[in-house]
Short mmCIF file of all heavy atoms in Angstrom, two decimals:
data_model
loop_
_atom_site.label_atom_id
_atom_site.label_comp_id
_atom_site.label_asym_id
_atom_site.label_seq_id
_atom_site.Cartn_x
_atom_site.Cartn_y
_atom_site.Cartn_z
N MET A 1 87.34 97.95 102.15
CA MET A 1 85.97 97.62 102.49
C MET A 1 85.13 98.87 102.61
O MET A 1 85.72 100.00 102.90
CB MET A 1 86.00 97.00 103.93
CG MET A 1 84.53 96.62 104.41
SD MET A 1 84.67 95.47 105.69
CE MET A 1 83.01 95.04 105.93
N LYS A 2 83.98 98.89 102.21
CA LYS A 2 83.13 100.03 102.24
C LYS A 2 82.09 100.06 103.42
O LYS A 2 81.47 99.08 103.74
CB LYS A 2 82.29 100.10 100.92
CG LYS A 2 81.53 101.36 100.63
CD LYS A 2 81.03 101.36 99.29
CE LYS A 2 80.43 102.78 98.98
NZ LYS A 2 80.03 102.92 97.53
N TYR A 3 82.06 101.31 104.08
CA TYR A 3 81.21 101.44 105.19
C TYR A 3 80.01 102.39 104.94
O TYR A 3 80.23 103.10 103.89
CB TYR A 3 82.07 101.93 106.44
CG TYR A 3 83.12 100.88 106.84
CD1 TYR A 3 84.37 101.01 106.30
CD2 TYR A 3 82.79 99.88 107.62
CE1 TYR A 3 85.41 100.12 106.68
CE2 TYR A 3 83.64 98.88 107.95
CZ TYR A 3 85.00 99.01 107.49
OH TYR A 3 85.95 98.16 107.84
N SER A 4 79.16 102.57 105.78
CA SER A 4 77.96 103.38 105.51
C SER A 4 78.34 104.91 105.69
O SER A 4 77.74 105.78 105.17
CB SER A 4 76.75 103.05 106.30
OG SER A 4 77.04 103.06 107.63
N ASN A 5 79.22 105.20 106.59
CA ASN A 5 79.73 106.56 106.90
C ASN A 5 81.03 106.64 107.56
O ASN A 5 81.66 105.59 107.80
CB ASN A 5 78.61 107.29 107.66
CG ASN A 5 78.37 106.66 109.00
OD1 ASN A 5 79.27 106.22 109.69
ND2 ASN A 5 77.08 106.52 109.40
N LEU A 6 81.51 107.85 107.80
CA LEU A 6 82.78 108.09 108.46
C LEU A 6 82.96 107.41 109.81
O LEU A 6 83.90 106.82 110.22
CB LEU A 6 83.07 109.51 108.46
CG LEU A 6 84.38 109.90 109.22
CD1 LEU A 6 85.65 109.39 108.49
CD2 LEU A 6 84.47 111.43 109.43
N SER A 7 81.83 107.48 110.69
CA SER A 7 81.82 107.01 112.01
C SER A 7 82.07 105.53 111.89
O SER A 7 82.93 105.02 112.73
CB SER A 7 80.57 107.34 112.70
OG SER A 7 80.55 108.80 112.93
N GLU A 8 81.36 104.83 111.14
CA GLU A 8 81.54 103.42 111.02
C GLU A 8 82.93 103.05 110.43
O GLU A 8 83.52 102.07 111.01
CB GLU A 8 80.36 102.89 110.03
CG GLU A 8 80.35 101.34 110.09
CD GLU A 8 79.17 100.87 109.14
OE1 GLU A 8 78.07 101.22 109.41
OE2 GLU A 8 79.53 100.09 108.15
N LEU A 9 83.48 103.81 109.53
CA LEU A 9 84.82 103.56 109.02
C LEU A 9 85.84 103.60 110.15
O LEU A 9 86.58 102.69 110.25
CB LEU A 9 85.04 104.46 107.91
CG LEU A 9 86.51 104.58 107.37
CD1 LEU A 9 86.93 103.23 106.77
CD2 LEU A 9 86.67 105.77 106.46
N ILE A 10 85.86 104.81 110.81
CA ILE A 10 86.90 104.89 111.79
C ILE A 10 86.69 104.14 113.00
O ILE A 10 87.68 103.76 113.77
CB ILE A 10 87.19 106.43 112.24
CG1 ILE A 10 85.82 107.05 112.89
CG2 ILE A 10 87.52 107.19 111.08
CD1 ILE A 10 86.06 108.45 113.41
N ASN A 11 85.49 103.63 113.36
CA ASN A 11 85.38 102.64 114.42
C ASN A 11 85.80 101.19 114.01
O ASN A 11 86.05 100.42 114.86
CB ASN A 11 83.89 102.56 114.90
CG ASN A 11 83.45 103.84 115.66
OD1 ASN A 11 84.37 104.29 116.38
ND2 ASN A 11 82.26 104.18 115.53
N ALA A 12 85.81 100.91 112.78
CA ALA A 12 86.07 99.64 112.25
C ALA A 12 87.49 99.33 111.76
O ALA A 12 88.07 98.36 111.77
CB ALA A 12 85.12 99.10 111.29
N ASP A 13 88.08 100.42 111.23
CA ASP A 13 89.33 100.43 110.62
C ASP A 13 90.36 101.25 111.42
O ASP A 13 90.38 102.46 111.39
CB ASP A 13 89.24 100.94 109.16
CG ASP A 13 90.43 100.85 108.45
OD1 ASP A 13 91.64 101.04 108.85
OD2 ASP A 13 90.45 100.68 107.13
N THR A 14 91.35 100.55 112.04
CA THR A 14 92.27 101.28 112.99
C THR A 14 93.20 102.29 112.13
O THR A 14 93.54 103.22 112.61
CB THR A 14 93.06 100.27 113.75
OG1 THR A 14 93.68 99.33 112.99
CG2 THR A 14 92.30 99.60 114.80
N ASN A 15 93.57 101.80 110.90
CA ASN A 15 94.35 102.63 110.14
C ASN A 15 93.60 103.95 109.73
O ASN A 15 94.25 105.07 109.84
CB ASN A 15 94.91 102.01 108.89
CG ASN A 15 95.86 100.84 109.16
OD1 ASN A 15 96.72 101.05 110.10
ND2 ASN A 15 95.84 99.89 108.36
N ALA A 16 92.35 103.77 109.42
CA ALA A 16 91.59 104.98 109.03
C ALA A 16 91.42 105.98 110.26
O ALA A 16 91.60 107.12 110.16
CB ALA A 16 90.20 104.61 108.50
N LYS A 17 91.25 105.34 111.49
CA LYS A 17 91.17 106.11 112.72
C LYS A 17 92.42 106.82 112.93
O LYS A 17 92.36 108.08 113.39
CB LYS A 17 90.76 105.17 113.80
CG LYS A 17 90.54 105.92 115.20
CD LYS A 17 89.83 104.96 116.12
CE LYS A 17 89.53 105.74 117.46
NZ LYS A 17 88.73 104.98 118.32
N LYS A 18 93.55 106.17 112.84
CA LYS A 18 94.84 106.73 113.13
C LYS A 18 95.06 107.94 112.14
O LYS A 18 95.51 109.05 112.46
CB LYS A 18 95.97 105.75 112.97
CG LYS A 18 96.08 104.84 114.18
CD LYS A 18 97.21 103.84 113.92
CE LYS A 18 97.19 102.86 114.94
NZ LYS A 18 98.20 101.81 114.67
N TYR A 19 94.76 107.78 110.83
CA TYR A 19 94.94 108.83 109.83
C TYR A 19 93.94 109.98 110.19
O TYR A 19 94.49 111.12 110.18
CB TYR A 19 94.66 108.19 108.48
CG TYR A 19 94.82 109.24 107.39
CD1 TYR A 19 96.06 109.60 106.94
CD2 TYR A 19 93.71 109.80 106.82
CE1 TYR A 19 96.15 110.48 106.03
CE2 TYR A 19 93.85 110.78 105.80
CZ TYR A 19 95.04 111.06 105.36
OH TYR A 19 95.20 112.07 104.37
N PHE A 20 92.67 109.61 110.46
CA PHE A 20 91.70 110.81 110.68
C PHE A 20 92.19 111.57 111.93
O PHE A 20 92.15 112.72 111.81
CB PHE A 20 90.38 110.15 111.01
CG PHE A 20 89.33 111.08 111.20
CD1 PHE A 20 88.75 112.02 110.21
CD2 PHE A 20 88.77 111.37 112.48
CE1 PHE A 20 87.82 112.91 110.38
CE2 PHE A 20 87.87 112.41 112.73
CZ PHE A 20 87.34 113.21 111.61
N ASN A 21 92.67 110.84 112.97
CA ASN A 21 93.21 111.56 114.15
C ASN A 21 94.33 112.28 113.96
O ASN A 21 94.63 113.26 114.83
CB ASN A 21 93.28 110.65 115.38
CG ASN A 21 91.86 110.11 115.74
OD1 ASN A 21 90.90 110.83 115.74
ND2 ASN A 21 91.85 108.99 116.38
N SER A 22 95.11 112.09 113.00
CA SER A 22 96.38 112.82 112.75
C SER A 22 96.20 114.04 111.89
O SER A 22 97.02 114.95 111.84
CB SER A 22 97.33 111.91 111.97
OG SER A 22 96.98 111.75 110.64
N LEU A 23 94.96 114.23 111.38
CA LEU A 23 94.56 115.45 110.71
C LEU A 23 94.41 116.68 111.59
O LEU A 23 93.92 116.53 112.71
CB LEU A 23 93.44 115.19 109.83
CG LEU A 23 93.55 114.07 108.65
CD1 LEU A 23 92.16 113.68 108.16
CD2 LEU A 23 94.46 114.56 107.61
N PRO A 24 94.66 117.88 111.04
CA PRO A 24 94.33 119.08 111.76
C PRO A 24 92.80 119.08 112.08
O PRO A 24 92.08 118.63 111.41
CB PRO A 24 94.61 120.31 110.84
CG PRO A 24 95.69 119.63 109.85
CD PRO A 24 95.26 118.15 109.65
N ASP A 25 92.49 119.79 113.35
CA ASP A 25 91.11 119.81 113.71
C ASP A 25 90.18 120.27 112.67
O ASP A 25 89.14 119.94 112.45
CB ASP A 25 91.02 120.75 114.91
CG ASP A 25 91.64 120.07 116.21
OD1 ASP A 25 91.65 118.72 116.18
OD2 ASP A 25 91.82 120.73 117.19
N TYR A 26 90.64 121.45 111.97
CA TYR A 26 89.69 122.09 110.97
C TYR A 26 89.39 121.16 109.71
O TYR A 26 88.37 121.19 109.29
CB TYR A 26 90.13 123.47 110.51
CG TYR A 26 91.48 123.41 109.68
CD1 TYR A 26 91.25 123.52 108.28
CD2 TYR A 26 92.69 123.27 110.21
CE1 TYR A 26 92.35 123.53 107.43
CE2 TYR A 26 93.84 123.25 109.43
CZ TYR A 26 93.65 123.26 108.01
OH TYR A 26 94.79 123.27 107.24
N ILE A 27 90.40 120.29 109.54
CA ILE A 27 90.20 119.37 108.38
C ILE A 27 89.15 118.27 108.85
O ILE A 27 88.34 117.88 108.02
CB ILE A 27 91.49 118.75 107.90
CG1 ILE A 27 92.39 119.91 107.25
CG2 ILE A 27 91.22 117.66 106.96
CD1 ILE A 27 91.98 120.40 105.98
N ARG A 28 89.41 117.89 110.04
CA ARG A 28 88.60 116.59 110.62
C ARG A 28 87.14 117.17 110.65
O ARG A 28 86.22 116.52 110.35
CB ARG A 28 89.02 116.31 111.99
CG ARG A 28 90.19 115.40 112.03
CD ARG A 28 90.52 114.72 113.17
NE ARG A 28 90.27 115.57 114.41
CZ ARG A 28 91.32 115.89 115.26
NH1 ARG A 28 92.54 115.41 115.14
NH2 ARG A 28 91.06 116.62 116.31
N GLN A 29 86.80 118.59 111.05
CA GLN A 29 85.55 119.04 111.11
C GLN A 29 84.92 119.06 109.69
O GLN A 29 83.74 118.82 109.65
CB GLN A 29 85.65 120.40 111.71
CG GLN A 29 85.83 120.40 113.25
CD GLN A 29 86.04 121.85 113.78
OE1 GLN A 29 86.15 122.82 112.99
NE2 GLN A 29 86.22 121.97 115.14
N GLN A 30 85.69 119.43 108.73
CA GLN A 30 85.15 119.59 107.45
C GLN A 30 84.79 118.15 106.92
O GLN A 30 83.73 117.97 106.26
CB GLN A 30 86.18 120.28 106.42
CG GLN A 30 86.31 121.74 106.74
CD GLN A 30 87.26 122.43 105.63
OE1 GLN A 30 87.23 122.04 104.52
NE2 GLN A 30 87.99 123.33 106.25
N ILE A 31 85.56 117.29 106.96
CA ILE A 31 85.31 115.87 106.67
C ILE A 31 84.06 115.29 107.45
O ILE A 31 83.21 114.76 106.76
CB ILE A 31 86.57 114.93 106.83
CG1 ILE A 31 87.64 115.37 106.00
CG2 ILE A 31 86.17 113.47 106.69
CD1 ILE A 31 89.02 114.73 106.25
N PHE A 32 84.02 115.61 108.71
CA PHE A 32 82.94 115.11 109.51
C PHE A 32 81.64 115.61 109.07
O PHE A 32 80.55 114.97 109.15
CB PHE A 32 83.20 115.34 111.05
CG PHE A 32 82.53 114.32 111.89
CD1 PHE A 32 83.08 112.95 111.99
CD2 PHE A 32 81.39 114.51 112.51
CE1 PHE A 32 82.52 112.03 112.77
CE2 PHE A 32 80.76 113.58 113.32
CZ PHE A 32 81.32 112.36 113.44
N SER A 33 81.66 116.90 108.58
CA SER A 33 80.42 117.62 108.18
C SER A 33 79.78 116.95 106.89
O SER A 33 78.69 117.08 106.60
CB SER A 33 80.55 119.02 108.00
OG SER A 33 81.41 119.25 106.73
N ARG A 34 80.58 116.12 106.27
CA ARG A 34 80.19 115.31 104.99
C ARG A 34 80.48 113.92 105.31
O ARG A 34 80.84 113.29 104.35
CB ARG A 34 80.83 115.91 103.79
CG ARG A 34 80.59 117.28 103.55
CD ARG A 34 80.86 117.75 102.16
NE ARG A 34 80.41 119.03 101.94
CZ ARG A 34 80.94 119.91 101.08
NH1 ARG A 34 81.88 119.41 100.22
NH2 ARG A 34 80.47 121.15 100.88
N SER A 35 80.33 113.47 106.43
CA SER A 35 80.68 112.14 106.80
C SER A 35 79.85 111.00 106.02
O SER A 35 80.42 109.87 105.84
CB SER A 35 80.62 111.89 108.38
OG SER A 35 79.22 111.92 108.69
N SER A 36 78.77 111.18 105.48
CA SER A 36 77.99 110.30 104.83
C SER A 36 78.63 109.94 103.50
O SER A 36 78.41 108.80 102.93
CB SER A 36 76.54 110.71 104.63
OG SER A 36 76.52 111.90 103.89
N GLY A 37 79.38 110.89 103.03
CA GLY A 37 80.10 110.57 101.73
C GLY A 37 81.44 110.02 101.82
O GLY A 37 82.15 109.53 100.82
N VAL A 38 81.90 109.74 103.12
CA VAL A 38 83.23 109.10 103.32
C VAL A 38 82.97 107.64 103.80
O VAL A 38 82.62 107.41 104.94
CB VAL A 38 84.05 109.78 104.40
CG1 VAL A 38 85.31 109.13 104.59
CG2 VAL A 38 84.18 111.37 104.00
N SER A 39 83.18 106.73 102.94
CA SER A 39 82.81 105.41 103.18
C SER A 39 83.99 104.32 103.08
O SER A 39 83.74 103.21 103.47
CB SER A 39 81.66 104.88 102.18
OG SER A 39 82.06 104.95 100.94
N THR A 40 85.14 104.80 102.55
CA THR A 40 86.32 103.97 102.52
C THR A 40 87.51 104.62 102.97
O THR A 40 87.45 105.96 103.09
CB THR A 40 86.50 103.37 101.17
OG1 THR A 40 86.91 104.53 100.38
CG2 THR A 40 85.37 102.67 100.57
N PHE A 41 88.54 104.00 103.27
CA PHE A 41 89.85 104.72 103.74
C PHE A 41 90.32 105.58 102.56
O PHE A 41 90.84 106.57 102.75
CB PHE A 41 90.76 103.58 104.24
CG PHE A 41 92.02 104.18 104.75
CD1 PHE A 41 92.14 105.45 105.30
CD2 PHE A 41 93.21 103.37 104.87
CE1 PHE A 41 93.28 105.95 105.94
CE2 PHE A 41 94.42 103.81 105.44
CZ PHE A 41 94.39 105.17 105.98
N GLU A 42 90.22 104.98 101.39
CA GLU A 42 90.71 105.79 100.15
C GLU A 42 89.87 107.07 100.08
O GLU A 42 90.48 108.12 99.67
CB GLU A 42 90.52 104.89 98.90
CG GLU A 42 91.58 103.85 98.77
CD GLU A 42 92.90 104.35 98.83
OE1 GLU A 42 93.27 105.44 98.07
OE2 GLU A 42 93.88 103.86 99.49
N ASN A 43 88.66 106.95 100.18
CA ASN A 43 87.72 108.26 100.18
C ASN A 43 88.27 109.25 101.17
O ASN A 43 88.29 110.40 100.91
CB ASN A 43 86.28 108.01 100.58
CG ASN A 43 85.42 107.18 99.59
OD1 ASN A 43 84.58 106.45 99.83
ND2 ASN A 43 85.66 107.41 98.24
N LEU A 44 88.52 108.76 102.38
CA LEU A 44 88.96 109.61 103.53
C LEU A 44 90.32 110.28 103.17
O LEU A 44 90.42 111.61 103.20
CB LEU A 44 89.16 108.77 104.74
CG LEU A 44 89.82 109.48 105.96
CD1 LEU A 44 88.92 110.69 106.46
CD2 LEU A 44 90.01 108.52 107.21
N LYS A 45 91.18 109.46 102.57
CA LYS A 45 92.48 110.03 102.23
C LYS A 45 92.31 111.10 101.11
O LYS A 45 93.03 112.14 101.19
CB LYS A 45 93.53 108.93 101.81
CG LYS A 45 94.01 108.23 103.02
CD LYS A 45 95.18 107.36 102.75
CE LYS A 45 94.99 106.48 101.53
NZ LYS A 45 96.16 105.41 101.37
N ASP A 46 91.67 110.73 100.10
CA ASP A 46 91.38 111.56 98.93
C ASP A 46 90.79 112.90 99.29
O ASP A 46 91.19 114.03 98.96
CB ASP A 46 90.56 111.01 97.90
CG ASP A 46 91.10 109.81 97.11
OD1 ASP A 46 92.40 109.67 97.24
OD2 ASP A 46 90.46 109.10 96.47
N TYR A 47 89.74 112.90 100.16
CA TYR A 47 89.07 114.11 100.65
C TYR A 47 89.98 114.85 101.48
O TYR A 47 90.16 116.17 101.28
CB TYR A 47 87.86 113.65 101.51
CG TYR A 47 86.93 114.80 101.74
CD1 TYR A 47 86.91 116.00 101.03
CD2 TYR A 47 85.90 114.59 102.72
CE1 TYR A 47 85.94 116.99 101.12
CE2 TYR A 47 85.14 115.68 103.09
CZ TYR A 47 85.08 116.80 102.25
OH TYR A 47 84.22 117.89 102.46
N ALA A 48 90.73 114.32 102.43
CA ALA A 48 91.72 115.10 103.27
C ALA A 48 92.76 115.66 102.42
O ALA A 48 93.19 116.87 102.61
CB ALA A 48 92.30 114.08 104.30
N GLU A 49 93.35 114.91 101.44
CA GLU A 49 94.36 115.51 100.63
C GLU A 49 93.96 116.67 99.78
O GLU A 49 94.59 117.66 99.68
CB GLU A 49 94.95 114.37 99.71
CG GLU A 49 95.83 113.48 100.56
CD GLU A 49 96.18 112.24 99.64
OE1 GLU A 49 96.03 112.20 98.42
OE2 GLU A 49 96.78 111.32 100.30
N ASN A 50 92.60 116.60 99.25
CA ASN A 50 92.09 117.74 98.61
C ASN A 50 91.94 118.97 99.47
O ASN A 50 92.34 120.13 98.99
CB ASN A 50 90.76 117.32 98.00
CG ASN A 50 90.89 116.52 96.79
OD1 ASN A 50 91.85 116.49 96.11
ND2 ASN A 50 89.84 115.69 96.51
N LEU A 51 91.55 118.78 100.66
CA LEU A 51 91.26 119.90 101.66
C LEU A 51 92.68 120.36 101.97
O LEU A 51 92.91 121.74 102.09
CB LEU A 51 90.66 119.46 102.88
CG LEU A 51 89.12 119.09 102.61
CD1 LEU A 51 88.48 118.43 103.91
CD2 LEU A 51 88.24 120.28 102.32
N LEU A 52 93.67 119.53 102.24
CA LEU A 52 95.00 120.08 102.61
C LEU A 52 95.64 120.75 101.47
O LEU A 52 96.39 121.71 101.77
CB LEU A 52 95.88 118.88 103.02
CG LEU A 52 95.42 118.28 104.43
CD1 LEU A 52 96.16 116.90 104.63
CD2 LEU A 52 95.79 119.21 105.53
N ARG A 53 95.43 120.41 100.30
CA ARG A 53 95.96 121.05 99.12
C ARG A 53 95.56 122.45 99.01
O ARG A 53 96.29 123.34 98.58
CB ARG A 53 95.71 120.36 97.81
CG ARG A 53 96.74 119.82 97.09
CD ARG A 53 96.34 119.22 95.84
NE ARG A 53 95.17 118.36 95.85
CZ ARG A 53 95.28 117.03 95.74
NH1 ARG A 53 96.31 116.46 95.41
NH2 ARG A 53 94.19 116.27 95.99
N GLY A 54 94.42 122.71 99.53
CA GLY A 54 93.86 124.15 99.54
C GLY A 54 94.59 125.06 100.49
O GLY A 54 94.36 126.28 100.45
N ASP A 55 95.46 124.44 101.39
CA ASP A 55 96.13 125.17 102.37
C ASP A 55 97.39 125.72 101.87
O ASP A 55 98.06 126.53 102.46
CB ASP A 55 96.43 124.29 103.62
CG ASP A 55 95.29 124.08 104.47
OD1 ASP A 55 94.24 124.78 104.25
OD2 ASP A 55 95.40 123.26 105.41
N ASP A 56 97.87 125.28 100.69
CA ASP A 56 99.14 125.65 100.18
C ASP A 56 99.22 127.17 99.78
O ASP A 56 98.31 127.74 99.47
CB ASP A 56 99.48 124.87 98.88
CG ASP A 56 99.83 123.38 99.18
OD1 ASP A 56 100.00 123.17 100.43
OD2 ASP A 56 99.76 122.57 98.33
#
């Protein structure tokens, strides 16, 4: 399901909320700064994985 932004997504989708809350703080901050572009759980996972890959 597609939502209008990250806040709506994590408020409506418990899996997305659990995943988001499991991420490191700095990753959550980066994702939240672009929250309007995160409208699905898949978007959230893809964005987080891309940011985490930069940590290697």
Side-chain angles (χ1 to χ4, degrees):
M1 183 162 186
K2 192 170 186 173
Y3 298 93
S4 60
N5 59 40
L6 176 63
S7 295
E8 191 176 301
L9 170 64
I10 61 176
N11 284 328
D13 185 326
T14 55
N15 288 329
K17 185 174 187 169
K18 286 179 189 175
Y19 180 77
F20 183 75
N21 288 333
S22 74
L23 296 168
D25 285 342
Y26 71 98
I27 296 291
R28 288 195 314 244
Q29 289 172 351
Q30 289 182 40
I31 294 171
F32 209 77
S33 72
R34 297 197 174 158
S35 64
S36 63
V38 180
S39 58
T40 67
F41 189 21
E42 286 301 314
N43 288 148
L44 174 60
K45 288 194 306 187
D46 290 344
Y47 193 21
E49 287 170 11
N50 285 337
L51 291 170
L52 289 166
R53 243 186 310 250
D55 285 351
D56 292 345

